[in-house]
Amino acid sequence: MKKPRAAMRSCCRKQASSKEGRKKHAPSSSQAKPSAPDGLAGRPEEVVLQASVSLYHLFRDTAEVTVFRESLLSWYNREKRDLPWRRQRVRWTWTGGRMLEVNQLWAGLGYYSRGRRLQEGARKVVEELGGHMPRTAETLQRLLPGVGRYTAGAIASIAFGQVTGIVDGNVVRVLCRVRAIGADPSSTLVSQQLWSLAQKLVDPAQPGDFNQAAMELGATVCTPQHPLCSQCPVQSLCRARQRVEREQLLASQSLPASPDMEECAPNTGQCQLCAPPTEPWDLTLGVANFPKKVSRRPPREECSATCVLEQLGAHGGARILLVQRPNSGLLAGLWEFPSVAVEPSGQCQRKALLQELQSWAGPVPATRLRHLGQVIHTFSHIKLTYQVFGLALEGQTPVTITPPGARWLTREEFRTAAVSTAMKKVFQVYEGQQPGNCKGSKRSQVSISSSRKKPSPSQQLLDNFFRPLICTDPPSLNSVAQ
């Protein structure tokens, strides 16, 4: 057992023995309870595995923590941006991250499930909780649907003053750089350590301001690719910056590295917060070597056949059929054209699609079903190819009986409905093939590109709310939401 202990002691040049370090920095029973992230200390996964972590990556005394808090809050009070939720805290803290609107207004922005969860949570507060918002991170996360650890901590600290730390993408970046954490931040152990660090640092007198300051620092100064280190209020405590200086000294070969410069020794293989030895330091990145860039798996590819079914002789004008997606899964609850999942080979696409159409609209003339083109739309984890079909019901008895989960809309109603960007692209292909338009145009036969276009009316509404000084072009009826 002596060799492992010796290896651990060598992990940090100035580190005290593992036993002493744990005694010095482990919270007492009286301290542990209030320092639990989000009030969820009872969960076994929150146990921090100190034996596998060098103290080099932690804050080891109250003086360091005090300097960090004071420096960050002083900077925040001078430099903080004027954001809506910093004026009306309870209402904006929850809705600020939810884009303020319901699905019909923010369709195309990618926040569909958030809008649904926001509505569900508001309904529960009113109908089941007597209009009283939960005030702690633990009860917020437990009682409100869609409220996770970060959102619960943000509401509890900013709106209600609970002393609880929070970790979002900006805070991950700040903490990984300040403590030179090079391991995968998405791993369980590193995530636990980041939440533990956030809880230790949060200011007990101003928890909401401190959490906003940490996020603000990551958003405006400690940015992903071009951090403004000279403007950082906690630069003196940043181990990533210290590492940059040390590497520059070694690279110049003009001066030896300072023997007083503290570092972790990743080659021991003991510290699980260091980057693996197989990942060398990149001099061109500087502090942006932290955090580790997590390689994302490419989105899986799927194919769907979808049809724009239009009644040209319907009462009140031509109408288009939309059906509602299931309440769970991709684009849950949104409205779309009738669609079926198909194989990319194209076999049986028409037959499967006709069966789907008949289940919603009754018998349809199969000979009028035309293939118009395709649309490729990439979601966060799925690359979906839509084979676009069109079918016009003309000279037939209009469909008057609509089953649950289906709606017939005019074209104008469609443009304001809660449909995804993908469905708007599909409709563009359909419109391009109609008489009076550029029938057979090259644009309708190829995949619609994702290049920047004019914002939709919904996007403009949100842009005008958050950035009232930004001028936007007038909405186009055929605009595609970004």
Side-chain angles (χ1 to χ4, degrees):
M1 295 298 292
K2 291 183 180 179
K3 287 185 178 180
R5 289 183 180 176
M8 279 301 299
R9 286 196 294 270
S10 67
C11 185
C12 180
R13 290 181 180 178
K14 289 188 175 180
Q15 179 178 325
S17 67
S18 299
K19 184 176 181 181
E20 292 174 352
R22 284 193 296 270
K23 283 184 178 179
K24 181 177 179 181
H25 305 287
S28 63
S29 59
S30 62
Q31 295 172 322
K33 193 169 184 179
S35 66
D38 285 357
L40 302 177
R43 300 193 309 189
E45 60 268 26
E46 300 304 325
V47 177
V48 177
L49 304 179
Q50 296 284 0
S52 59
V53 172
S54 165
L55 294 181
Y56 169 79
H57 301 287
L58 309 179
F59 286 87
R60 288 171 291 180
D61 55 60
T62 55
E64 260 192 334
V65 172
T66 299
V67 171
F68 188 95
R69 290 171 178 167
E70 292 177 351
S71 301
L72 184 59
L73 284 169
S74 177
W75 168 84
Y76 177 70
N77 290 332
R78 296 191 312 268
E79 305 292 340
K80 64 182 176 183
R81 295 170 293 177
D82 182 21
L83 300 176
W85 51 86
R86 289 175 180 164
R87 300 186 220 122
Q88 302 180 40
R89 292 199 168 183
V90 176
R91 180 166 66 94
W92 286 110
T93 300
W94 192 12
T95 61
R98 297 295 184 262
M99 300 300 291
L100 316 176
E101 303 295 335
V102 292
N103 278 341
Q104 185 167 351
L105 287 178
W106 64 33
L109 298 178
Y111 289 93
Y112 312 108
S113 63
R114 296 186 183 189
R116 188 178 66 257
R117 291 294 191 183
L118 176 59
Q119 186 182 45
E120 291 173 1
R123 184 178 293 118
K124 183 165 186 176
V125 169
V126 172
E127 297 177 357
E128 299 181 26
L129 303 179
H132 298 291
M133 188 79 167
R135 301 178 69 89
T136 67
E138 181 181 17
T139 54
L140 282 161
Q141 190 172 349
R142 177 166 49 87
L143 296 177
L144 297 185
V147 173
R149 190 175 186 182
Y150 158 72
T151 302
I155 297 172
S157 63
I158 298 172
F160 301 118
Q162 183 185 6
V163 184
T164 182
I166 61 174
V167 174
D168 74 340
N170 287 317
V171 176
V172 166
R173 187 164 55 257
V174 169
L175 293 180
C176 283
R177 289 175 180 172
V178 169
R179 295 292 93 177
I181 297 174
D184 182 356
S186 66
S187 69
T188 300
L189 182 139
V190 178
S191 178
Q192 290 172 2
Q193 286 289 348
L194 292 174
W195 278 95
S196 178
L197 281 171
Q199 184 63 32
K200 184 168 186 175
L201 291 171
V202 63
D203 188 276
Q206 305 177 69
D209 282 350
F210 179 88
N211 286 334
Q212 291 185 83
M215 293 186 287
E216 186 92 344
L217 184 67
T220 62
V221 174
C222 196
T223 56
Q225 296 182 350
H226 303 290
L228 307 174
C229 293
S230 62
Q231 301 178 24
C232 179
V234 294
Q235 181 185 163
S236 62
L237 298 173
C238 182
R239 297 217 184 281
R241 186 65 185 171
Q242 295 166 11
R243 175 74 184 273
V244 169
E245 294 170 353
R246 180 171 65 252
E247 295 293 339
Q248 288 174 344
L249 283 174
L250 294 174
S252 68
Q253 297 182 352
S254 58
L255 293 172
S258 170
D260 295 327
M261 188 171 288
E262 190 175 10
E263 63 178 308
C264 191
N267 291 331
T268 64
Q270 296 292 324
C271 180
Q272 295 190 33
L273 293 186
C274 283
T278 55
E279 297 183 8
W281 177 267
D282 188 339
L283 284 171
T284 64
L285 292 178
V287 299
N289 278 282
F290 305 99
K292 178 184 177 181
K293 304 299 186 294
V294 181
S295 58
R296 298 183 181 275
R297 289 184 296 181
R300 69 176 185 268
E301 297 192 10
E302 296 183 0
C303 187
S304 175
T306 186
C307 180
V308 180
L309 179 63
E310 187 170 21
Q311 292 190 82
L312 298 178
H315 178 70
R319 294 184 181 272
I320 304 163
L321 177 64
L322 290 182
V323 299
Q324 192 169 27
R325 292 183 62 86
N327 289 327
S328 60
L330 181 69
L331 304 177
L334 264 68
W335 294 83
E336 67 176 7
F337 302 116
S339 304
V340 290
V342 294
E343 294 296 326
S345 62
Q347 295 180 354
C348 304
Q349 285 186 5
R350 294 177 64 89
K351 181 179 179 181
L353 187 57
L354 282 168
Q355 290 177 346
E356 178 71 9
L357 292 173
Q358 290 169 1
S359 69
W360 293 107
V364 295
T367 56
R368 295 186 187 176
L369 183 65
R370 298 183 299 130
H371 182 259
L372 306 178
Q374 71 176 26
V375 162
I376 298 177
H377 189 82
T378 301
F379 301 92
S380 59
H381 59 293
I382 299 174
K383 181 180 180 180
L384 189 51
T385 299
Y386 293 92
Q387 297 299 334
V388 182
F389 291 79
L391 199 161
L393 299 179
E394 188 174 11
Q396 294 181 244
T397 303
V399 179
T400 56
I401 300 177
T402 304
R407 297 165 60 190
W408 290 92
L409 302 181
T410 66
R411 293 193 176 201
E412 289 304 314
E413 289 171 335
F414 167 78
R415 291 187 177 98
T416 59
V419 297
S420 67
T421 300
M423 289 299 104
K424 293 180 180 181
K425 291 179 180 179
V426 167
F427 193 63
Q428 280 188 336
V429 173
Y430 176 76
E431 283 192 308
Q433 294 286 344
Q434 301 311 299
N437 294 329
C438 300
K439 186 175 182 180
S441 65
K442 185 176 180 180
R443 174 180 179 139
S444 66
Q445 297 296 329
V446 298
S447 302
I448 302 296
S449 69
S450 59
S451 59
R452 187 169 180 82
K453 302 177 179 65
K454 291 182 180 180
S456 69
S458 302
Q459 179 69 64
Q460 289 191 45
L461 183 151
L462 295 172
D463 286 345
N464 291 336
F465 184 88
F466 283 108
R467 297 184 293 277
L469 298 180
I470 294 180
C471 296
T472 56
D473 295 327
S476 167
L477 289 179
N478 292 325
S479 62
V480 178
Q482 296 301 305

